[in-house]
Amino acid sequence: MIHFDTDYMEGAHSEVLQRLIETNYEHSVGYGADDYTASAKRKIIEACGLSDDAKVFFLVGGTQTNATVIDGLLMHHEGVMAASTGHINVHESGAIEASGHKVLTLPSHDGKVWASEVKAYVDNFYADETYEHMVAPGLLYISQPTEYGTLYSRSELEELHQVCSDRNIPVYIDGARLASALASPANDVDLPTLASLCDAFYIGGTKCGLLFGEAVVVPQGSKYLPCFFTLIKQHGALLAKGRLLGVQFDALFTNNLYQRIGEHAVKLALKLKQAFISKGYRLHIDSFTNQQFIVLPNAQLDRLADIASFEIWGLRGKEETVVRLVTSWCTNEADVDAFIAQL
Amino acid sequence: MIHFDTDYMEGAHSEVLQRLIETNYEHSVGYGADDYTASAKRKIIEACGLSDDAKVFFLVGGTQTNATVIDGLLMHHEGVMAASTGHINVHESGAIEASGHKVLTLPSHDGKVWASEVKAYVDNFYADETYEHMVAPGLLYISQPTEYGTLYSRSELEELHQVCSDRNIPVYIDGARLASALASPANDVDLPTLASLCDAFYIGGTKCGLLFGEAVVVPQGSKYLPCFFTLIKQHGALLAKGRLLGVQFDALFTNNLYQRIGEHAVKLALKLKQAFISKGYRLHIDSFTNQQFIVLPNAQLDRLADIASFEIWGLRGKEETVVRLVTSWCTNEADVDAFIAQL
Amino acid sequence: MIHFDTDYMEGAHSEVLQRLIETNYEHSVGYGADDYTASAKRKIIEACGLSDDAKVFFLVGGTQTNATVIDGLLMHHEGVMAASTGHINVHESGAIEASGHKVLTLPSHDGKVWASEVKAYVDNFYADETYEHMVAPGLLYISQPTEYGTLYSRSELEELHQVCSDRNIPVYIDGARLASALASPANDVDLPTLASLCDAFYIGGTKCGLLFGEAVVVPQGSKYLPCFFTLIKQHGALLAKGRLLGVQFDALFTNNLYQRIGEHAVKLALKLKQAFISKGYRLHIDSFTNQQFIVLPNAQLDRLADIASFEIWGLRGKEETVVRLVTSWCTNEADVDAFIAQL
Amino acid sequence: MIHFDTDYMEGAHSEVLQRLIETNYEHSVGYGADDYTASAKRKIIEACGLSDDAKVFFLVGGTQTNATVIDGLLMHHEGVMAASTGHINVHESGAIEASGHKVLTLPSHDGKVWASEVKAYVDNFYADETYEHMVAPGLLYISQPTEYGTLYSRSELEELHQVCSDRNIPVYIDGARLASALASPANDVDLPTLASLCDAFYIGGTKCGLLFGEAVVVPQGSKYLPCFFTLIKQHGALLAKGRLLGVQFDALFTNNLYQRIGEHAVKLALKLKQAFISKGYRLHIDSFTNQQFIVLPNAQLDRLADIASFEIWGLRGKEETVVRLVTSWCTNEADVDAFIAQL
């Protein structure tokens, strides 16, 4: 059986694991003050084309990263705008609210928000005479790619960034699966461009071959997130053996591993997509990243579930089901081909 | 140079690492619903002599574990009693307060609280006519061993548990270094006894040879921490690749590794202690666990710092300094002997 | 000029003010332990047809009442369901989120939620395999009347209550303007019925002739909101001179003042409504309470704004504006008649 | 019986009540945007000798004022320093922690903190290598007068302010009973001086003849507490009929009423003190404000309790009890004389 459930169902990519093994018995200081962490930060800053003013922080998981960064970027009376389908609004158990902030929802267009609607939201907010009785929009949260595998184009990001910076609202990008956005043929936003069009973002490691780990990047490090180390600790997000994060991210940004993992996953995902299309299946969403959403006639569902594992995304009428298939660094091309042969 | 800084400065114990390597490419479900996690839970419940009503949860680090458990055990209007020196009151960046709860401090006696003082605190609280204007003591937090390496005896724990259960106040034990308490010759509280004398505790893995991980044990699982999974997620403490925790704790509770690590560390710590004593040094605190607190004449400080790393614990007058030396699974006995030879 | 802005723009009703004056120099204990408060509680419990198990608490304002009650009724991992238009979701500056809880929005039907949609929300929630990663619906918040002046019928409340109690979810009713619901000819839910169909509600005083004050009623007082006094204090909602709340609510529940105020306001509001209709204006919402929502041709807007003050509720196309007119204990019938004559 | 329980056991001072009555039926806008509130703010700014940059906000009660201001002045990772006896640390039910911030306690010297100890606390904090793991001191909270009736001298306040401003830490003064400090013969800090030596403070109205109300003053209004209106609302501290606060504070700052109330209360308190001393009683604390702390032989306790009400402050050995007697605008001098005659 081949597994398309999701991209964090195995351990670490061999090159990452290898470095963990090699460094296992070394002694180093804790909490990220070690040399591996410093090296990883340098490599990430370089990959993002940033200056020394940029800051990088390593946290363990996505929900804690979102909650900690968002808490750090908001004042007490502010909330965060997000698509109604945004991860922070749905699948994080209220972590944002638990730190005191409201998620202000915007319409979701296949997972994306529109700059025009962000603009309207903020402008209507301040045009409302009672705005001081409401939660002020203090931050925009978006995901690249979105929870639906869709991508913001460069011009869309530019527009969002412009709308927000004109209104003194920072933009934060959740990059849990950023590698697969960067590797997508449909993408026109590289890492330096992304970094230039937001105020903070994170490079997801958990879904890109690490045991765990997310790298928060703050392009203008002197402007945002002062004293963030303490906030990380307060959120329970500081890893004692911090060098594990450094070692892993250092490996991820060595020999283009980050890029290679993204490309591998996307290539196989698109191969799957093409195969489904050519067999006459329909797409639920036209995704160009490592998540594919296919409409399956229920009659096919059981048959395919016998040869592959995947997630049921939702019913579509009485006759069809939407399923999600996810590829990763760990997906084997031969297995994909064998699966395709049975479609 | 030999390292006595602390017990989380290396990676994982070889037996733990080996299992991570062996299972690395296996596919499993996420968030701790995998078989390794189930196995680890069973082994821990068995080691604690508990029934199937007991529950075990795995979290990543100590601060997040304390914050999440304490949040789960308290009602909104309640606070947690702790020694003023307790980790939650000092070195967790206000994580308890960040989730809305006050730490109610009790006098620290070498890191321990006295049952008589807990009793007096609670009884005086409710005897005060204005008690409804104050934070109600809703939980007792203690550490075994304490932050000073000292131990609660069985009778002390019994007395604390009695005082608290008489007042419907649960007891929660921070076992970040519990292995070294259990392995101490001065200890008379084994794991089943500990489990019977509290309402929740955690078995520290980070400081006992795991890459990371803490195991929360709830002896009466049907009584406390309902819906705790969601609270773990809300606190950003849920690991996506949850099986990493399962694999590691499963290894830790296989072939007595947990016990062996504790015994190894304590044996070397006591060897150090005896050596210091026999060389005429004085102890700051008489610890029987893997942390030793020695009073060094300042003249000796630089000399010893050239051959070993350790933590400066504090000044003691103008002539002396208290240092902390910590041993671990990774401390080599031959290195200890060589160090002792140079005292 | 006649004022229809809102129902809290003057001081207190004369019968309430009179009692405040008469008792002003009396000495009494603070924080609501006085005799006036005890008397007011008894009268409210009697008016609600409740037993001695019921509890009543007096707070100062609506937002603080909602935030404190909702905090008290929710566990840390739970959120509160509400119509997207609910006051707690819009005009309370994130007070619910500031105490750590998410507002889970349901579709608003002229301000009301439908039992069928509450049922579907909760059932779909628990049917979702990932529900433990999401905020659990722990409470239903509704308003009677709603923010749009609409009313839940007895059968609607029964259905909501049934759906919720079947799922162990308490129902909390915001009664900021409850008096005008009770006095409405369209209403079939009296106070005892309301009390029997929810788990907590509040009787608004601020919008019913008091200087300030809201009375929280907990029909099953031994089941909900234990230690609520401390939570009130923690939320900064405990009035030092608590007897001011007791004196005012005692006056409000003496000689049917509560009922008389509601009837006066609703009578004049319906008179206004009829006048608008008979002059050919259209209604934005067909309200039977003391808030009326009228569609005004923009040409009429300036003319009427010269003779009366009211709130602009929103634009309706380019030619029309929706305005809100609110009556109160302080609205004079002769002034209303004079206003109508100029429509 | 004469009442010395506390200073908020009656309604409002006649001059305040009179204004509430006179304005009762006037129509005004809500939430403090009315003319009375504007007038009151001007008078307070003038009384404090401040410029137009200063801001004034009116809240309802002391606990909510402290919680809201402190929340507004702190970043998420910061805590507030206070004497261990400070009101926020003891009698506010954890309101500070409920908004996420730790109270960092300093030694209390009859209710006061020492500048030298504040300095040492902050400097030691940043000298500690692990400071980023601890709650940063982000604010100093003091009370004038303290909870024990004692006073900070001008030079003490200057020193505190200097120590804090040198370290970029604002100073916030709780002035719940500020009127009696200002009126004390032992005081050398007038209102403009106080305003110049802190970054925010509040003028207590509840304990100075108002029904309720506290006036927060921010001398450098453009520097601190931006968007504070929304935070007030979020904390449930915004009064709908906001003009009630304006009317009351306007009356309090008309014809020197604020000063007269303070002087009246302090005069009678000092008369009481002298009488106790001359009759041979001892003082528990030598207070020069409207609270007096007297050591009573237990034999006298019952006798005096028959003719006056007061608060038992605590036992002092087996033979004596400390009692607190508080005077107010409502205390009658003839009654005091009659009481003294029976000492």
Side-chain angles (χ1 to χ4, degrees), chain D residues 15-48:
Chain D
E15 296 176 33
V16 173
L17 184 64
Q18 188 57 34
R19 290 298 294 146
L20 285 170
I21 295 169
E22 288 167 5
T23 60
N24 186 65
Y25 298 103
E26 290 180 16
H27 178 92
S28 68
V29 293
Y31 303 116
D34 63 283
D35 293 341
Y36 293 112
T37 298
S39 169
K41 289 182 177 182
R42 277 194 304 274
K43 289 180 179 174
I44 287 173
I45 286 174
E46 192 186 331
C48 295

mmCIF file of all heavy atoms in Angstrom, chain D residues 15-48:
data_model
loop_
_atom_site.group_PDB
_atom_site.id
_atom_site.type_symbol
_atom_site.label_atom_id
_atom_site.label_comp_id
_atom_site.label_asym_id
_atom_site.label_seq_id
_atom_site.Cartn_x
_atom_site.Cartn_y
_atom_site.Cartn_z
ATOM 1 N N GLU D 15 -22.781 66.985 47.189
ATOM 2 C CA GLU D 15 -22.545 67.847 46.018
ATOM 3 C C GLU D 15 -22.465 67.029 44.731
ATOM 4 O O GLU D 15 -22.797 67.513 43.648
ATOM 5 C CB GLU D 15 -21.257 68.673 46.208
ATOM 6 C CG GLU D 15 -21.368 69.643 47.378
ATOM 7 C CD GLU D 15 -20.084 70.411 47.661
ATOM 8 O OE1 GLU D 15 -19.323 70.718 46.718
ATOM 9 O OE2 GLU D 15 -19.826 70.691 48.857
ATOM 10 N N VAL D 16 -22.020 65.791 44.880
ATOM 11 C CA VAL D 16 -21.966 64.891 43.720
ATOM 12 C C VAL D 16 -23.375 64.408 43.392
ATOM 13 O O VAL D 16 -23.809 64.435 42.236
ATOM 14 C CB VAL D 16 -21.028 63.700 44.014
ATOM 15 C CG1 VAL D 16 -21.096 62.676 42.887
ATOM 16 C CG2 VAL D 16 -19.600 64.180 44.254
ATOM 17 N N LEU D 17 -24.065 63.976 44.430
ATOM 18 C CA LEU D 17 -25.426 63.483 44.233
ATOM 19 C C LEU D 17 -26.300 64.559 43.598
ATOM 20 O O LEU D 17 -27.097 64.283 42.691
ATOM 21 C CB LEU D 17 -26.010 63.045 45.584
ATOM 22 C CG LEU D 17 -27.401 62.426 45.518
ATOM 23 C CD1 LEU D 17 -27.375 61.117 44.727
ATOM 24 C CD2 LEU D 17 -27.953 62.174 46.926
ATOM 25 N N GLN D 18 -26.121 65.783 44.085
ATOM 26 C CA GLN D 18 -26.921 66.888 43.564
ATOM 27 C C GLN D 18 -26.756 67.040 42.051
ATOM 28 O O GLN D 18 -27.724 67.228 41.312
ATOM 29 C CB GLN D 18 -26.492 68.195 44.279
ATOM 30 C CG GLN D 18 -27.379 69.379 43.963
ATOM 31 C CD GLN D 18 -28.852 69.098 44.298
ATOM 32 O OE1 GLN D 18 -29.146 68.384 45.272
ATOM 33 N NE2 GLN D 18 -29.770 69.600 43.477
ATOM 34 N N ARG D 19 -25.542 66.939 41.593
ATOM 35 C CA ARG D 19 -25.290 67.079 40.148
ATOM 36 C C ARG D 19 -25.883 65.903 39.373
ATOM 37 O O ARG D 19 -26.375 66.070 38.251
ATOM 38 C CB ARG D 19 -23.781 67.202 39.880
ATOM 39 C CG ARG D 19 -23.168 68.506 40.345
ATOM 40 C CD ARG D 19 -23.769 69.713 39.632
ATOM 41 N NE ARG D 19 -23.438 69.712 38.221
ATOM 42 C CZ ARG D 19 -24.232 70.156 37.253
ATOM 43 N NH1 ARG D 19 -25.421 70.648 37.552
ATOM 44 N NH2 ARG D 19 -23.859 70.106 35.990
ATOM 45 N N LEU D 20 -25.821 64.709 39.957
ATOM 46 C CA LEU D 20 -26.435 63.559 39.279
ATOM 47 C C LEU D 20 -27.936 63.769 39.144
ATOM 48 O O LEU D 20 -28.540 63.452 38.118
ATOM 49 C CB LEU D 20 -26.151 62.262 40.055
ATOM 50 C CG LEU D 20 -24.723 61.720 39.929
ATOM 51 C CD1 LEU D 20 -24.495 60.586 40.912
ATOM 52 C CD2 LEU D 20 -24.443 61.260 38.495
ATOM 53 N N ILE D 21 -28.537 64.318 40.200
ATOM 54 C CA ILE D 21 -29.979 64.560 40.164
ATOM 55 C C ILE D 21 -30.313 65.629 39.125
ATOM 56 O O ILE D 21 -31.221 65.462 38.303
ATOM 57 C CB ILE D 21 -30.477 64.995 41.572
ATOM 58 C CG1 ILE D 21 -30.293 63.836 42.564
ATOM 59 C CG2 ILE D 21 -31.927 65.451 41.511
ATOM 60 C CD1 ILE D 21 -30.502 64.224 44.022
ATOM 61 N N GLU D 22 -29.544 66.709 39.156
ATOM 62 C CA GLU D 22 -29.824 67.819 38.236
ATOM 63 C C GLU D 22 -29.709 67.421 36.769
ATOM 64 O O GLU D 22 -30.398 67.962 35.907
ATOM 65 C CB GLU D 22 -28.838 68.973 38.500
ATOM 66 C CG GLU D 22 -29.108 69.717 39.796
ATOM 67 C CD GLU D 22 -27.943 70.631 40.183
ATOM 68 O OE1 GLU D 22 -26.989 70.753 39.397
ATOM 69 O OE2 GLU D 22 -27.999 71.209 41.278
ATOM 70 N N THR D 23 -28.810 66.530 36.489
ATOM 71 C CA THR D 23 -28.556 66.164 35.090
ATOM 72 C C THR D 23 -29.273 64.887 34.681
ATOM 73 O O THR D 23 -29.131 64.443 33.538
ATOM 74 C CB THR D 23 -27.037 65.947 34.875
ATOM 75 O OG1 THR D 23 -26.606 64.879 35.749
ATOM 76 C CG2 THR D 23 -26.243 67.203 35.177
ATOM 77 N N ASN D 24 -30.037 64.318 35.584
ATOM 78 C CA ASN D 24 -30.554 62.967 35.348
ATOM 79 C C ASN D 24 -31.337 62.818 34.049
ATOM 80 O O ASN D 24 -31.205 61.833 33.347
ATOM 81 C CB ASN D 24 -31.421 62.518 36.519
ATOM 82 C CG ASN D 24 -31.868 61.064 36.383
ATOM 83 O OD1 ASN D 24 -31.038 60.166 36.412
ATOM 84 N ND2 ASN D 24 -33.159 60.835 36.200
ATOM 85 N N TYR D 25 -32.179 63.783 33.753
ATOM 86 C CA TYR D 25 -33.051 63.615 32.587
ATOM 87 C C TYR D 25 -32.478 64.205 31.313
ATOM 88 O O TYR D 25 -33.112 64.176 30.267
ATOM 89 C CB TYR D 25 -34.437 64.184 32.885
ATOM 90 C CG TYR D 25 -35.081 63.450 34.034
ATOM 91 C CD1 TYR D 25 -35.131 64.014 35.304
ATOM 92 C CD2 TYR D 25 -35.565 62.150 33.857
ATOM 93 C CE1 TYR D 25 -35.676 63.331 36.369
ATOM 94 C CE2 TYR D 25 -36.116 61.457 34.921
ATOM 95 C CZ TYR D 25 -36.159 62.036 36.171
ATOM 96 O OH TYR D 25 -36.691 61.340 37.216
ATOM 97 N N GLU D 26 -31.292 64.755 31.410
ATOM 98 C CA GLU D 26 -30.651 65.256 30.188
ATOM 99 C C GLU D 26 -30.300 64.091 29.287
ATOM 100 O O GLU D 26 -30.008 62.985 29.730
ATOM 101 C CB GLU D 26 -29.367 66.031 30.537
ATOM 102 C CG GLU D 26 -29.640 67.350 31.221
ATOM 103 C CD GLU D 26 -28.345 68.089 31.546
ATOM 104 O OE1 GLU D 26 -27.286 67.737 30.974
ATOM 105 O OE2 GLU D 26 -28.398 69.005 32.386
ATOM 106 N N HIS D 27 -30.336 64.396 28.005
ATOM 107 C CA HIS D 27 -29.965 63.416 26.984
ATOM 108 C C HIS D 27 -28.518 63.690 26.565
ATOM 109 O O HIS D 27 -28.163 64.829 26.318
ATOM 110 C CB HIS D 27 -30.907 63.578 25.790
ATOM 111 C CG HIS D 27 -30.602 62.672 24.662
ATOM 112 N ND1 HIS D 27 -31.202 61.433 24.529
ATOM 113 C CD2 HIS D 27 -29.761 62.812 23.620
ATOM 114 C CE1 HIS D 27 -30.743 60.861 23.444
ATOM 115 N NE2 HIS D 27 -29.865 61.680 22.863
ATOM 116 N N SER D 28 -27.705 62.662 26.518
ATOM 117 C CA SER D 28 -26.328 62.885 26.045
ATOM 118 C C SER D 28 -25.827 61.630 25.348
ATOM 119 O O SER D 28 -26.408 60.554 25.483
ATOM 120 C CB SER D 28 -25.406 63.230 27.214
ATOM 121 O OG SER D 28 -25.252 62.108 28.044
ATOM 122 N N VAL D 29 -24.756 61.767 24.608
ATOM 123 C CA VAL D 29 -24.201 60.589 23.941
ATOM 124 C C VAL D 29 -23.531 59.690 24.980
ATOM 125 O O VAL D 29 -23.215 60.119 26.090
ATOM 126 C CB VAL D 29 -23.180 60.992 22.859
ATOM 127 C CG1 VAL D 29 -23.891 61.716 21.717
ATOM 128 C CG2 VAL D 29 -22.087 61.859 23.451
ATOM 129 N N GLY D 30 -23.340 58.439 24.607
ATOM 130 C CA GLY D 30 -22.826 57.464 25.559
ATOM 131 C C GLY D 30 -21.310 57.346 25.553
ATOM 132 O O GLY D 30 -20.612 58.045 24.831
ATOM 133 N N TYR D 31 -20.820 56.447 26.393
ATOM 134 C CA TYR D 31 -19.421 56.012 26.395
ATOM 135 C C TYR D 31 -18.410 57.131 26.626
ATOM 136 O O TYR D 31 -17.265 57.020 26.207
ATOM 137 C CB TYR D 31 -19.105 55.278 25.079
ATOM 138 C CG TYR D 31 -20.033 54.101 24.855
ATOM 139 C CD1 TYR D 31 -20.926 54.071 23.781
ATOM 140 C CD2 TYR D 31 -20.034 53.025 25.750
ATOM 141 C CE1 TYR D 31 -21.786 52.994 23.595
ATOM 142 C CE2 TYR D 31 -20.892 51.951 25.569
ATOM 143 C CZ TYR D 31 -21.766 51.944 24.492
ATOM 144 O OH TYR D 31 -22.619 50.877 24.326
ATOM 145 N N GLY D 32 -18.866 58.214 27.262
ATOM 146 C CA GLY D 32 -17.908 59.232 27.650
ATOM 147 C C GLY D 32 -17.605 60.295 26.617
ATOM 148 O O GLY D 32 -16.660 61.070 26.783
ATOM 149 N N ALA D 33 -18.396 60.342 25.552
ATOM 150 C CA ALA D 33 -18.166 61.374 24.536
ATOM 151 C C ALA D 33 -18.979 62.642 24.818
ATOM 152 O O ALA D 33 -19.069 63.527 23.976
ATOM 153 C CB ALA D 33 -18.510 60.824 23.152
ATOM 154 N N ASP D 34 -19.540 62.735 26.008
ATOM 155 C CA ASP D 34 -20.414 63.863 26.365
ATOM 156 C C ASP D 34 -19.627 65.053 26.905
ATOM 157 O O ASP D 34 -18.434 64.946 27.210
ATOM 158 C CB ASP D 34 -21.382 63.384 27.445
ATOM 159 C CG ASP D 34 -20.644 62.984 28.705
ATOM 160 O OD1 ASP D 34 -20.056 61.875 28.717
ATOM 161 O OD2 ASP D 34 -20.591 63.784 29.660
ATOM 162 N N ASP D 35 -20.319 66.155 27.081
ATOM 163 C CA ASP D 35 -19.673 67.390 27.526
ATOM 164 C C ASP D 35 -19.236 67.347 28.983
ATOM 165 O O ASP D 35 -18.230 67.945 29.353
ATOM 166 C CB ASP D 35 -20.638 68.571 27.326
ATOM 167 C CG ASP D 35 -20.889 68.835 25.859
ATOM 168 O OD1 ASP D 35 -20.084 68.376 25.024
ATOM 169 O OD2 ASP D 35 -21.895 69.505 25.545
ATOM 170 N N TYR D 36 -19.992 66.671 29.823
ATOM 171 C CA TYR D 36 -19.587 66.614 31.229
ATOM 172 C C TYR D 36 -18.251 65.902 31.369
ATOM 173 O O TYR D 36 -17.394 66.292 32.161
ATOM 174 C CB TYR D 36 -20.655 65.892 32.075
ATOM 175 C CG TYR D 36 -21.934 66.677 32.149
ATOM 176 C CD1 TYR D 36 -23.097 66.226 31.527
ATOM 177 C CD2 TYR D 36 -21.984 67.891 32.832
ATOM 178 C CE1 TYR D 36 -24.272 66.955 31.576
ATOM 179 C CE2 TYR D 36 -23.157 68.643 32.885
ATOM 180 C CZ TYR D 36 -24.290 68.167 32.261
ATOM 181 O OH TYR D 36 -25.434 68.905 32.316
ATOM 182 N N THR D 37 -18.111 64.849 30.602
ATOM 183 C CA THR D 37 -16.854 64.108 30.658
ATOM 184 C C THR D 37 -15.710 64.984 30.154
ATOM 185 O O THR D 37 -14.626 65.021 30.760
ATOM 186 C CB THR D 37 -16.975 62.821 29.818
ATOM 187 O OG1 THR D 37 -18.011 62.005 30.403
ATOM 188 C CG2 THR D 37 -15.677 62.040 29.799
ATOM 189 N N ALA D 38 -15.960 65.708 29.067
ATOM 190 C CA ALA D 38 -14.910 66.601 28.547
ATOM 191 C C ALA D 38 -14.536 67.649 29.587
ATOM 192 O O ALA D 38 -13.353 67.942 29.806
ATOM 193 C CB ALA D 38 -15.400 67.262 27.259
ATOM 194 N N SER D 39 -15.534 68.188 30.248
ATOM 195 C CA SER D 39 -15.276 69.203 31.275
ATOM 196 C C SER D 39 -14.469 68.623 32.433
ATOM 197 O O SER D 39 -13.504 69.225 32.914
ATOM 198 C CB SER D 39 -16.604 69.761 31.774
ATOM 199 O OG SER D 39 -16.412 70.547 32.929
ATOM 200 N N ALA D 40 -14.875 67.453 32.870
ATOM 201 C CA ALA D 40 -14.166 66.814 33.988
ATOM 202 C C ALA D 40 -12.712 66.552 33.621
ATOM 203 O O ALA D 40 -11.798 66.757 34.436
ATOM 204 C CB ALA D 40 -14.866 65.511 34.376
ATOM 205 N N LYS D 41 -12.484 66.103 32.398
ATOM 206 C CA LYS D 41 -11.108 65.846 31.967
ATOM 207 C C LYS D 41 -10.286 67.133 32.008
ATOM 208 O O LYS D 41 -9.148 67.139 32.482
ATOM 209 C CB LYS D 41 -11.105 65.250 30.555
ATOM 210 C CG LYS D 41 -11.619 63.817 30.499
ATOM 211 C CD LYS D 41 -11.546 63.251 29.078
ATOM 212 C CE LYS D 41 -12.009 61.782 29.076
ATOM 213 N NZ LYS D 41 -11.907 61.172 27.726
ATOM 214 N N ARG D 42 -10.873 68.207 31.514
ATOM 215 C CA ARG D 42 -10.141 69.486 31.530
ATOM 216 C C ARG D 42 -9.776 69.897 32.948
ATOM 217 O O ARG D 42 -8.659 70.325 33.226
ATOM 218 C CB ARG D 42 -10.994 70.576 30.882
ATOM 219 C CG ARG D 42 -10.923 70.614 29.354
ATOM 220 C CD ARG D 42 -11.503 71.927 28.805
ATOM 221 N NE ARG D 42 -12.859 72.165 29.250
ATOM 222 C CZ ARG D 42 -13.957 71.684 28.643
ATOM 223 N NH1 ARG D 42 -13.850 70.930 27.558
ATOM 224 N NH2 ARG D 42 -15.151 71.956 29.122
ATOM 225 N N LYS D 43 -10.733 69.750 33.859
ATOM 226 C CA LYS D 43 -10.473 70.173 35.237
ATOM 227 C C LYS D 43 -9.379 69.320 35.885
ATOM 228 O O LYS D 43 -8.564 69.821 36.660
ATOM 229 C CB LYS D 43 -11.768 70.105 36.052
ATOM 230 C CG LYS D 43 -12.766 71.195 35.653
ATOM 231 C CD LYS D 43 -14.054 71.123 36.453
ATOM 232 C CE LYS D 43 -15.000 72.252 36.018
ATOM 233 N NZ LYS D 43 -16.322 72.132 36.669
ATOM 234 N N ILE D 44 -9.385 68.051 35.575
ATOM 235 C CA ILE D 44 -8.362 67.172 36.154
ATOM 236 C C ILE D 44 -6.989 67.507 35.572
ATOM 237 O O ILE D 44 -5.993 67.592 36.291
ATOM 238 C CB ILE D 44 -8.742 65.694 35.926
ATOM 239 C CG1 ILE D 44 -9.900 65.329 36.862
ATOM 240 C CG2 ILE D 44 -7.548 64.775 36.140
ATOM 241 C CD1 ILE D 44 -10.492 63.964 36.631
ATOM 242 N N ILE D 45 -6.941 67.696 34.266
ATOM 243 C CA ILE D 45 -5.658 68.054 33.642
ATOM 244 C C ILE D 45 -5.133 69.357 34.236
ATOM 245 O O ILE D 45 -3.937 69.479 34.543
ATOM 246 C CB ILE D 45 -5.829 68.144 32.109
ATOM 247 C CG1 ILE D 45 -5.950 66.727 31.529
ATOM 248 C CG2 ILE D 45 -4.665 68.891 31.463
ATOM 249 C CD1 ILE D 45 -6.257 66.667 30.043
ATOM 250 N N GLU D 46 -6.034 70.277 34.475
ATOM 251 C CA GLU D 46 -5.616 71.549 35.065
ATOM 252 C C GLU D 46 -5.140 71.348 36.508
ATOM 253 O O GLU D 46 -4.102 71.879 36.906
ATOM 254 C CB GLU D 46 -6.795 72.531 35.021
ATOM 255 C CG GLU D 46 -6.388 73.966 35.338
ATOM 256 C CD GLU D 46 -7.605 74.880 35.428
ATOM 257 O OE1 GLU D 46 -8.620 74.587 34.735
ATOM 258 O OE2 GLU D 46 -7.561 75.856 36.205
ATOM 259 N N ALA D 47 -5.886 70.582 37.266
ATOM 260 C CA ALA D 47 -5.489 70.341 38.656
ATOM 261 C C ALA D 47 -4.134 69.658 38.743
ATOM 262 O O ALA D 47 -3.399 69.810 39.723
ATOM 263 C CB ALA D 47 -6.558 69.490 39.361
ATOM 264 N N CYS D 48 -3.805 68.899 37.715
ATOM 265 C CA CYS D 48 -2.524 68.183 37.700
ATOM 266 C C CYS D 48 -1.423 69.018 37.061
ATOM 267 O O CYS D 48 -0.274 68.565 36.977
ATOM 268 C CB CYS D 48 -2.651 66.864 36.944
ATOM 269 S SG CYS D 48 -3.751 65.686 37.740
#
